[in-house]
């Protein structure tokens, strides 16, 4: 008997099928964000301030400085993560000898990424970059009162959609193109309505060209506040929830973009009644939108549980959004992504029929006693089996391999 056989029998006593959970988990793609690999710097030659509160802190050795270094780090990370992978690229991560401005980007500037992704058998997602640019230094892009600046960013957004659509068609898997803008005001604005009307009109123009849903899905991401835009963020949750409903876009919920006591897990079912598809930016805010690496904690587990119990896995794209430069960047990717998968595994290992029946019958005692006693089941043995099936290490072997890789990149200048 292996420890997985023992675990399988124990779960079966509670009416839980571990083999079915493992089979399902294998099919759930996690879109890992490229920007944890280099502290959201990108590969452009020109740039501006980051904006909107995007701030990686720390100076751990080994930051990827080129597309090749980033891809090497990603390949190592993917080799340490079981399951199905995607990569979430930002427009600032072009791979080209040219230095096009943001309103001149074309598919060819990203073609090396697509060749690599095909080779790695991973899907790609995309993001226009509306920050770290001189034309965004005042934290106004699509909302800017100057029509010329708005036009620049609208063009960037349109081109990003074209690039994402081509990526999706090249790889045979729709690219999620997520739109986040930092736009807002440090101090109390006089006319919020005018700002929001400008943002809406710019988005409408940007999203007007139609693309095949088989190649491209547009998502919009709200935010509560950022450093430098404390008084008003134009693209708030209410703004984008309404926008997504009116326009049929995907709604992105970033776990760091709400008041600290709000639960993104709770929002999933509520939003899913009004929008067809959701995108998650799984993150860990600490006191503010600090983008700490995600832990296997209650917040992450609650989100995973909702995806399973609300039957939302088939219309939710799971993306990650954190960046910590105080620790090994590859270790951050690996442990963070594995934590998301561990949470999904636990969610898939619930005896849902029993728990639902208890709740419907108002038998809250059963709901309570079962959920608490279930915590003692051997989830670790099922996770180890998932890793073994994918030929990916666990525990101290994993830690040793991550340490060796980190040592191999530590002398990057
Ligand atoms: C910023 C948003 C956004 C970014 C990335 C880099 O607050 O969360 O998703 O983190 O686009
Ligand atoms: Zn985000």
């Amino acid at each position: 008997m292996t420890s997985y056989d023992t675990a399988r029998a124990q779960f079966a006593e509670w009416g839980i099928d571990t083999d079915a959970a493992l089979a399902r988990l294998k099919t759930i793609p996690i879109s890992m964000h490229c920007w944890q690999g280099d502290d959201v710097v990108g590969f452009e030659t020109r740039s501006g301030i980051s904006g909107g509160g995007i701030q990686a802190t720390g100076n751990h050795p080994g930051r990827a400085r080129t597309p090749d270094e980033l891809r090497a780090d990603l390949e190592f990370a993917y080799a340490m993560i079981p399951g199905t992978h995607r990569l979430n690229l930002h427009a600032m991560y072009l791979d080209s000898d040219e230095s096009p401005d943001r309103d001149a980007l074309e598919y060819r500037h990203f073609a090396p990424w697509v060749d690599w992704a095909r080779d790695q058998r991973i899907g790609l997602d995309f993001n226009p970059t509306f920050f770290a640019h001189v034309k965004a230094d005042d934290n106004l892009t699509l909302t800017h009162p100057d029509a010329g600046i708005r036009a620049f960013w609208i063009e960037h957004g349109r081109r990003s959609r074209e690039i994402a659509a081509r990526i999706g068609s090249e790889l045979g898997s729709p690219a999620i193109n997520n739109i986040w803008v930092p736009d807002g005001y440090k101090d109390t604005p006089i006319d919020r309505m005018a700002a929001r009307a400008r943002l809406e009109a710019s988005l409408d123009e940007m999203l007007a060209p139609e693309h095949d849903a088989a190649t491209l899905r547009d998502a919009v991401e709200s935010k509560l506040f950022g450093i430098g835009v404390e008084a008003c963020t134009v693209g708030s949750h209410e703004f984008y929830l309404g926008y997504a409903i009116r326009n049929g876009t995907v709604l992105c919920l970033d776990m760091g973009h709400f008041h600290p006591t709000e639960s993104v897990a709770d929002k999933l079912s509520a939003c899913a009644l009004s929008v067809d598809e959701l995108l998650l930016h799984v993150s860990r805010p600490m006191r503010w939108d600090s983008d700490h690496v995600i832990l296997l904690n209650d917040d992450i587990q609650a989100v995973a549980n909702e995806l399973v119990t609300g039957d939302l896995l088939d219309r939710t794209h799971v993306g990650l959004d954190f960046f910590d430069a105080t620790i090994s960047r590859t270790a951050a990717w690996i442990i963070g992504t594995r934590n998301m998968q561990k949470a999904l595994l636990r969610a898939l290992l619930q005896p849902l029929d029993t728990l639902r029946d208890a709740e419907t019958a108002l038998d809250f005692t059963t709901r309570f006693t079962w959920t608490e006693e279930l915590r003692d089941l051997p989830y670790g043995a099922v996770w180890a089996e998932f890793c073994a099936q994918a030929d990916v290490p666990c525990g101290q072997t994993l830690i040793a391999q991550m340490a060796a890789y980190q040592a191999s990149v530590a002398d990057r200048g």
Side-chain angles (χ1 to χ4, degrees):
M1 281 274 263
T2 65
S3 54
Y4 177 61
D5 291 332
T6 313
R8 184 205 276 126
Q10 264 180 282
F11 277 96
E13 283 171 23
W14 293 79
I16 300 165
D17 181 345
T18 53
D19 291 331
L22 290 178
R24 183 71 180 99
L25 183 61
K26 220 173 276 175
T27 65
I28 306 172
I30 310 288
S31 192
M32 211 166 78
H33 50 313
C34 71
W35 53 93
Q36 161 62 59
D38 79 329
D39 314 338
V40 210
V41 175
F43 303 126
E44 293 176 313
T45 45
R46 53 185 107 202
S47 61
I49 59 170
S50 265
I54 296 185
Q55 207 171 335
T57 47
N59 192 23
H60 203 74
R63 191 182 76 79
R65 300 154 302 175
T66 64
D68 284 338
E69 287 183 350
L70 191 59
R71 282 190 284 263
D73 293 355
L74 284 163
E75 283 178 29
F76 171 71
Y78 288 135
M80 299 293 116
I81 302 168
T84 307
H85 312 137
R86 297 180 68 85
L87 174 69
N88 195 8
L89 261 188
H90 236 286
M92 73 199 308
Y93 288 81
L94 77 170
D95 182 358
S96 172
D97 295 336
E98 302 165 46
S99 304
D101 205 348
R102 300 262 175 93
D103 63 344
L105 285 170
E106 292 185 26
Y107 172 75
R108 67 170 192 279
H109 302 125
F110 297 89
W113 281 109
V114 178
D115 294 339
W116 174 79
R118 197 179 286 117
D119 199 50
Q120 299 287 312
R121 297 172 184 281
I122 62 166
L124 287 181
D125 297 307
F126 203 73
N127 306 255
T129 309
F130 292 98
F131 54 88
H133 189 281
V134 283
K135 287 196 168 71
D137 277 355
D138 45 18
N139 281 326
L140 292 169
T141 63
L142 295 177
T143 308
H144 206 289
D146 181 321
I149 299 208
R150 289 204 302 280
F152 173 87
W153 289 112
I154 290 166
E155 183 61 20
H156 173 58
R158 281 186 176 224
R159 282 170 182 256
S160 292
R161 295 182 65 231
E162 275 167 21
I163 292 162
R166 174 81 184 273
I167 290 174
S169 101
E170 293 284 338
L171 296 176
S173 162
I176 311 302
N177 179 60
N178 180 53
I179 300 161
W180 172 75
V181 299
D183 295 38
Y185 296 103
K186 183 177 178 78
D187 223 332
T188 310
I190 300 298
D191 198 346
R192 292 172 196 259
M193 181 60 104
R196 292 201 161 114
R198 285 195 297 268
L199 179 55
E200 181 185 44
S202 295
L203 288 167
D204 286 350
E205 240 185 286
M206 223 174 87
L207 295 169
E210 288 194 15
H211 290 279
D212 185 353
T215 64
L216 172 73
R217 313 272 165 91
D218 296 290
V220 289
E221 179 181 4
S222 68
K223 190 159 175 170
L224 177 65
F225 89 105
I227 304 292
V229 292
E230 291 85 352
C232 170
T233 291
V234 184
S236 60
H237 177 55
E238 291 75 7
F239 176 90
Y240 278 125
L241 178 60
Y243 192 88
I245 294 170
R246 291 196 300 285
N247 296 283
T249 66
V250 180
L251 181 71
C252 173
L253 298 172
D254 182 308
M255 291 178 69
H257 289 192
F258 295 89
H259 288 281
T261 57
E262 278 185 274
S263 158
V264 167
D266 178 69
K267 296 178 193 298
L268 292 172
S269 51
C271 294
L273 287 172
S274 296
V275 298
D276 289 339
E277 288 178 52
L278 296 163
L279 167 64
L280 279 174
H281 271 189
V282 184
S283 191
R284 179 164 58 106
M286 194 178 288
R287 303 184 191 281
W288 70 293
D289 179 30
S290 60
D291 291 287
H292 280 69
V293 183
I294 59 170
L295 307 177
L296 183 56
N297 65 11
D298 289 351
D299 291 345
I300 304 297
Q301 193 59 58
V303 164
N305 287 359
E306 284 299 317
L307 293 180
V308 172
T309 56
D311 200 15
L312 293 171
L313 280 170
D314 290 334
R315 54 191 183 107
T316 304
H317 308 275
V318 181
L320 309 178
D321 189 3
F322 49 76
F323 30 96
D324 185 344
T326 66
I327 58 178
S328 161
R329 293 170 186 80
T330 44
W333 264 330
I334 293 163
I335 298 296
T337 308
R338 288 169 61 113
N339 279 344
M340 186 66 224
Q341 293 176 315
K342 287 181 186 182
L344 287 166
L345 176 61
R346 283 172 175 247
L348 290 165
L349 290 171
Q350 297 177 91
L352 269 186
D353 290 342
T354 305
L355 296 174
R356 278 204 186 101
D357 287 351
E359 187 162 279
T360 309
L362 307 189
D363 179 1
F364 301 138
T365 305
T366 296
R367 186 181 67 183
F368 164 68
T369 52
W370 274 59
T371 49
E372 293 313 296
E373 283 301 293
L374 281 164
R375 291 181 191 274
D376 299 330
L377 290 180
Y379 298 94
V382 184
W383 171 255
E385 172 68 13
F386 189 59
C387 292
Q389 285 179 13
D391 204 15
V392 158
C394 271
Q396 293 194 29
T397 316
L398 172 70
I399 290 171
Q401 292 196 25
M402 289 190 297
Y405 188 80
Q406 174 58 34
S408 77
V409 300
D411 61 357
R412 286 176 184 166

